Amino acid sequence: MNNASLASLMDRLWAILSGAARAEGADNEATSIRLPALTFALTLLAATLAVGSSQWYLDARHADLVRARQLRDAAFAKLNQVEQEKTEIRTYRPLFIALRAQGWIGEENRLEWTEAINQAQERLGLASVSYEIDARQPLRLEAPLPMGDYQLRASKMTLHLELLHEMDLFNFLDQLKTRGMFAMQDCSIRRSNLTPQGPGPAPRLSADCTLNWLTVGAPGVGAPGVGAPGVGAPGVGAPGVAKETK
């Protein structure tokens, strides 16, 4: 019941009481109904107040029920999200650990790359290998990848190799793959005019290749282009000019 209805009811009650008061001195019969009329008016007022308070209580309890259901639904949604994240962690954690062990996730390890170059040169008996490593940069792809909180980065390396035959190049690159992840950008092979410098045969071919060592890490973690000294890492203030020749 709204305020307008309650005001109308009070006006009627006042009219009844006023009429009863005027009739008191005029008629004995009016005096006889005064008490029942007053009782009726008071009873009607009490009933009206009871109905109004009951409606208010019902509305308040309904609002509490709606809030409780909303809190319950939010709790269930959060629980489902946590369970989904736990399932994803159990599913992808072994792969994440394997990729981190391969040098794919985390900070770049230039020392590992240069050791791989030295070992591949020794195993294959290559006469000469020279390389340069540029500063690490974020890698921008034509089709964006959903990386989440991580960023794909690349450190460009240019290689020059003296080869006896074409398979030396493929074998060299295969050995580098065991020490990190890289993408070949370009590679060219041409005949070499070097003369023998020792008892072994002279290189017949020379190759110039450009590849990008790839890592995935959080943006802003680590200083791009700063590596260990003496391992082909560009120096601070002169990125992309450090060079080693083996």
Side-chain angles (χ1 to χ4, degrees):
M1 182 176 293
N2 54 31
N3 294 336
S5 300
L6 183 59
S8 177
L9 181 61
M10 294 301 295
D11 290 341
R12 293 179 183 178
L13 177 61
W14 177 255
I16 293 173
L17 295 176
S18 299
R22 287 194 299 269
E24 180 178 3
D27 193 1
N28 291 332
E29 293 182 0
T31 303
S32 63
I33 66 171
R34 177 182 178 186
L35 181 59
L38 182 59
T39 303
F40 171 76
L42 293 176
T43 303
L44 182 61
L45 177 61
T48 302
L49 294 176
V51 171
S53 62
S54 298
Q55 185 64 40
W56 173 83
Y57 182 81
L58 180 62
D59 293 341
R61 299 291 74 79
H62 179 71
D64 292 340
L65 178 61
V66 171
R67 285 193 295 270
R69 288 176 176 174
Q70 291 175 346
L71 292 175
R72 180 202 61 187
D73 294 342
F76 278 138
K78 186 174 182 179
L79 178 61
N80 291 335
Q81 181 182 359
V82 171
E83 291 297 330
Q84 182 178 1
E85 290 176 354
K86 289 170 61 177
T87 302
E88 292 178 352
I89 290 174
R90 287 192 296 266
T91 302
Y92 296 108
R93 185 172 182 272
L95 178 60
F96 181 88
I97 294 175
L99 292 176
R100 185 172 60 183
Q102 296 173 9
W104 172 248
I105 297 176
E107 291 306 304
E108 61 181 6
N109 191 344
R110 299 191 172 201
L111 179 60
E112 189 79 9
W113 304 340
T114 56
E115 289 180 351
I117 292 174
N118 295 338
Q119 293 176 6
Q121 179 186 2
E122 293 177 0
R123 291 172 183 172
L124 299 174
L126 302 180
S128 175
V129 177
S130 61
Y131 58 89
E132 296 180 3
I133 306 178
D134 290 349
R136 181 185 61 202
Q137 299 291 339
L139 184 61
R140 290 176 172 80
L141 304 177
E142 294 183 1
L145 294 177
M147 301 295 295
D149 295 333
Y150 288 86
Q151 183 183 63
L152 182 61
R153 297 173 294 194
S155 299
K156 186 172 72 173
M157 173 184 285
T158 56
L159 286 165
H160 178 79
L161 303 92
E162 300 295 338
L163 312 171
L164 293 176
H165 50 80
E166 294 87 346
M167 287 305 300
D168 284 343
L169 174 61
F170 295 103
N171 294 333
F172 180 85
L173 295 176
D174 286 339
Q175 294 194 27
L176 291 189
K177 291 179 182 178
T178 63
R179 309 294 285 273
M181 304 288 290
F182 65 85
M184 183 63 65
Q185 181 173 329
D186 56 63
C187 201
S188 62
I189 302 177
R190 63 181 182 276
R191 291 190 177 277
S192 176
N193 297 321
L194 296 178
T195 57
Q197 300 295 326
R204 299 175 47 251
L205 304 170
S206 62
D208 292 288
C209 301
T210 302
L211 54 88
N212 292 282
W213 290 95
L214 304 176
T215 54
V216 175
V221 177
V226 180
V231 294
V236 178
V241 299
K243 183 175 180 180
E244 285 192 358
T245 304
K246 305 297 180 187

